[in-house]
Amino acid sequence: MNLDRRLLGLATSQPLPFLKAVVSGAAGGALQIAQAYILSLTAALLFLHTERRGELPMLLGMLAAIALLKTLAGWWSQREADRGTGNIKEELHKRLLEAVIARGPIYTSSIASGTLSSRISKGVEALDPYFSQFIPQLFLALIVPGIILAAVFPTDTLSGTILLCTAPLIPLFMVLIGQAAKKATARQWETLTRMGGYFLDILQGLTTLKLFGRSRERGAAISELSEAFRKTTMDVLKIAFLSSLTLELVGAIGTAIIAVQAGLRLMQGTMDYQTALFILLLTPDFYLPLRQLGTKFHAGMEGVSAADDLFPLLEGNVQPAQTHAISTAIAPNHPISFKNVTVFYPGKDTPALEAITFTIEPGKKTALVGPSGAGKSTCINLLLGFIQPEKGSMLYGRTNLSSLDLASWREHIAWVPQHPRLFNRTLRENIILANRSASESELMEALELSGLGPVIKALPDGLDTLAGERGARLSGGEAQRIAIARAFLRNAPIVILDEPTSHTDPQLEASLRTSIDTLISGRTALIIAHRLSTIRNADRIIVLDKGTVIAEGTHEELLGQPGYYREAVTSVNRGCS
């Protein structure tokens, strides 16, 4: 019957608007009975009781008033249903966003951005017909026919019995056809989600596709997905038309039975004209809410399919927010220790880190090196709180990081990624993300220390210049300087750098290196190192391979030991000679 307990739970969170919608709809049903009665009485006076025609103006005025009230009741019912639906959609958008944020970047990187975007945007919008149409109509299909039966039975028992016996046929056929409709709608929704996600991915990678001459090929793939969506949509429409035909047929047959038996009894003189007309006028209105429920059943089916995509995101395993107050002792004079830390990523049997132990000394520069997939980024994800260890512990001084408030802990960390994320907002907004309470003088100081000051001054709009989608209006070096400016503005005791100079030319690297050295001076710094110039100056170098620590020491100490580090340095020196 398309009743999803999860969606009903959302509806019960906004009971008042839906209650008003149902009450208004029921009032419209009661007004329909009054309208049928007055119409039948008007016809009887007009054709049979001519001596009472003086009452006609009053009856016509009452009909006009009832028609107006019916219109207002219908408008108010839909308005309240839309208001309740809007509140639910707003709350659901908020909950979904919070769920994605709680899962963190590890989750978002594991799913195509286009697919996730389609789920949240189109998925929530697909729930609109379910709440604004199907849920109110479900109650009206129970209430309005009941009200009409209560009016018909005292007037004519036979007609009431016919209506009562034929009414269940409509929901019966609706449920039988709905089983096929559910499967077809699920296929349609899956195709739509896949097509939306694929289209967004192609748009984001259009430059690469053009360079390699593959844009037309991807266009053909979109055409194939569009054709698949067309076919699944037509399958749904076929079932919907079949359902409408069946429900209309049942309603028409029921109306015909009422009309025939009322006509025969009218001719035999066992039923008076006004009663027969009154029942005939009400019969279509008796079946109408049931037929509309069948129509809106299919409108709400897409909402159920969308819910199957949305609710796993809301109900999945999300790490609970940490609520303990952070110690005021957080400062650059405590070591950060990894104690036998093991990490598994979801769906992976091999650990990303396996029982690693090392210490990041306060006020020192520690470098993480190793081949791709060694576990360097996982260490940073642990420190930033994006993931939690399966085994082992991480300590700040003697305090376990899992006991600290995550948001407060992150306030004590400045992060400079290898590929900084820039939003299509002004440069000012992109930079003050790091510290919204920073003063104008602090912002200017961060610009100068990061080397971004001359760049800003050369722009016509200065800090009010839009960065463009993903920083499209800026060069790679300018984007890196924005990331460094964020770190200066953060003014945190702990700095994490995912080597921001790895994809720069030597001149730009030297310029950025000056700003980075100023940034990490006197702070606890952890650097994922890719270049020898960075590694050589580190106070401590930790070598990772396949999720384990295979060596650690200073540059000179590791050069004296056989293994990955000496081979990597020797290879770099050989390439430079």
Side-chain angles (χ1 to χ4, degrees):
M1 194 57 172
N2 232 7
L3 293 177
D4 190 294
R5 62 174 182 81
R6 301 166 301 180
L7 295 177
L8 289 177
L10 290 176
T12 56
S13 67
Q14 299 286 336
L16 191 57
F18 292 106
L19 180 61
K20 290 180 179 179
V22 171
V23 170
S24 299
L31 288 169
Q32 186 65 40
I33 296 172
Q35 185 181 53
Y37 177 79
I38 294 175
L39 272 174
S40 63
L41 178 59
T42 301
L45 295 184
L46 187 63
F47 298 111
L48 299 178
H49 306 290
T50 55
E51 72 280 1
R52 296 175 57 189
R53 286 184 178 177
E55 300 176 21
L56 288 178
M58 179 187 69
L59 293 175
L60 292 175
M62 293 175 65
L63 281 175
I66 290 173
L68 178 60
L69 289 174
K70 275 183 58 183
T71 302
L72 290 175
W75 170 78
W76 185 261
S77 177
Q78 190 59 54
R79 177 183 179 275
E80 289 300 307
D82 290 340
R83 186 167 70 90
T85 302
N87 293 340
I88 289 174
K89 287 163 58 179
E90 182 179 352
E91 179 64 23
L92 194 55
H93 270 299
K94 180 181 177 182
R95 287 177 57 189
L96 286 168
L97 183 59
E98 289 174 348
V100 172
I101 292 173
R103 289 170 180 265
I106 303 302
Y107 170 77
T108 55
S109 63
S110 68
I111 184 171
S113 58
T115 300
L116 185 60
S117 174
S118 294
R119 280 185 183 178
I120 294 178
S121 58
K122 290 187 174 70
V124 174
E125 290 304 317
L127 298 178
D128 193 311
Y130 188 92
F131 291 112
S132 64
Q133 299 178 33
F134 176 72
I135 291 295
Q137 191 60 42
L138 177 63
F139 288 96
L140 292 178
L142 296 172
I143 295 172
V144 173
I147 295 174
I148 292 177
L149 281 176
V152 170
F153 260 111
T155 306
D156 186 62
T157 305
L158 178 59
S159 298
T161 303
I162 294 172
L163 293 176
L164 185 62
C165 291
T166 55
L169 293 176
I170 292 181
L172 175 62
F173 283 114
M174 184 174 63
V175 171
L176 292 176
I177 297 173
Q179 297 301 316
K182 183 176 182 181
K183 295 179 181 178
T185 306
R187 289 195 300 270
Q188 180 199 32
W189 177 252
E190 181 183 353
T191 305
L192 175 63
T193 303
R194 187 167 67 250
M195 182 175 66
Y198 189 68
F199 184 70
L200 179 58
D201 289 339
I202 287 178
L203 285 180
Q204 292 175 339
L206 191 57
T207 302
T208 303
L209 292 172
K210 281 288 187 183
L211 287 172
F212 288 97
R214 297 293 183 180
S215 56
R216 291 186 180 275
E217 179 183 307
R218 294 301 91 193
I222 290 179
S223 296
E224 291 177 6
L225 280 174
S226 300
E227 177 62 17
F229 179 65
R230 184 192 68 80
K231 289 180 178 179
T232 56
T233 301
M234 291 305 297
D235 289 340
V236 172
L237 290 176
K238 288 176 185 176
I239 297 173
F241 287 140
L242 175 62
S243 175
S244 296
L245 174 63
T246 305
L247 301 183
E248 290 291 339
L249 184 61
V250 172
I253 292 174
T255 303
I257 294 173
I258 293 291
V260 169
Q261 63 88 20
L264 291 174
R265 292 161 64 196
L266 187 62
M267 292 175 60
Q268 295 169 359
T270 57
M271 176 181 281
D272 64 89
Y273 174 80
Q274 182 182 347
T275 302
L277 183 57
F278 174 65
I279 292 173
L280 281 175
L281 289 172
L282 282 182
T283 299
D285 293 319
F286 175 82
Y287 292 112
L288 181 62
L290 296 170
R291 298 202 316 270
Q292 288 179 335
L293 178 63
T295 303
K296 293 172 182 178
F297 175 86
H298 294 283
M301 186 72 74
E302 186 180 3
V304 175
S305 297
D308 291 336
D309 256 359
L310 294 176
F311 278 93
L313 180 58
L314 293 173
E315 298 168 353
N317 294 326
V318 179
Q319 294 172 351
Q322 297 158 336
T323 56
H324 299 291
I326 194 165
S327 170
T328 56
I330 287 191
N333 59 350
H334 289 295
I336 302 172
S337 304
F338 285 62
K339 302 289 187 181
N340 296 312
V341 172
T342 297
V343 173
F344 284 88
Y345 283 111
K348 302 290 184 180
D349 297 327
T350 304
L353 295 175
E354 186 171 11
I356 67 165
T357 299
F358 65 86
T359 299
I360 302 171
E361 296 294 339
K364 303 291 185 180
K365 182 166 66 173
T366 303
L368 289 179
V369 301
S372 178
K376 304 184 296 295
S377 296
T378 302
C379 291
I380 289 182
N381 287 331
L382 283 167
L383 282 174
L384 293 175
F386 295 148
I387 55 176
Q388 297 296 325
E390 298 283 336
K391 298 177 182 177
S393 59
M394 297 160 50
L395 305 177
Y396 185 76
R398 295 183 179 180
T399 304
N400 196 315
L401 288 184
S402 63
S403 68
L404 301 178
D405 178 73
L406 193 54
S408 298
W409 166 249
R410 286 174 180 161
E411 289 180 0
H412 292 75
I413 298 176
W415 179 47
V416 183
Q418 186 175 354
H419 301 289
R421 174 69 193 216
L422 301 181
F423 301 91
N424 190 22
R425 309 296 296 175
T426 66
L427 298 183
R428 179 188 298 274
E429 289 174 288
N430 272 284
I431 295 171
I432 64 171
L433 282 173
N435 184 4
R436 293 192 175 278
S437 62
S439 64
E440 189 69 16
S441 61
E442 289 173 329
L443 176 59
M444 292 299 107
E445 182 182 7
L447 295 179
E448 293 302 321
L449 291 174
S450 64
L452 199 59
V455 176
I456 299 297
K457 292 176 182 177
L459 295 172
D461 296 325
L463 282 171
D464 294 325
T465 302
L466 289 174
E469 190 76 23
R470 295 192 173 189
R473 298 182 179 180
L474 303 174
S475 68
E478 291 168 345
Q480 295 291 7
R481 291 189 186 281
I482 288 179
I484 295 171
R486 287 172 174 172
F488 275 112
L489 200 63
R490 189 77 160 183
N491 194 25
I494 302 168
V495 179
I496 299 177
L497 300 101
D498 185 358
E499 185 57 270
T501 64
S502 59
H503 300 296
T504 58
D505 58 73
Q507 183 177 1
L508 178 58
E509 180 189 3
S511 176
L512 291 175
R513 179 64 52 201
T514 302
S515 297
I516 291 173
D517 288 342
T518 304
L519 173 65
I520 63 179
S521 178
R523 293 184 169 93
T524 301
L526 177 65
I527 305 171
I528 289 184
H530 299 281
R531 288 188 173 180
L532 181 60
S533 58
T534 304
I535 300 170
R536 187 188 300 276
N537 297 325
D539 298 300
R540 195 74 176 168
I541 300 171
I542 299 168
V543 185
L544 298 175
D545 188 22
K546 297 179 180 179
T548 61
V549 176
I550 59 174
E552 63 176 296
T554 63
H555 173 69
E556 289 75 15
E557 290 171 347
L558 292 175
L559 279 180
Q561 303 174 14
Y564 169 83
Y565 186 81
R566 187 167 70 178
E567 291 175 4
V569 173
T570 303
S571 176
V572 171
N573 290 336
R574 190 182 300 118
C576 294
S577 61

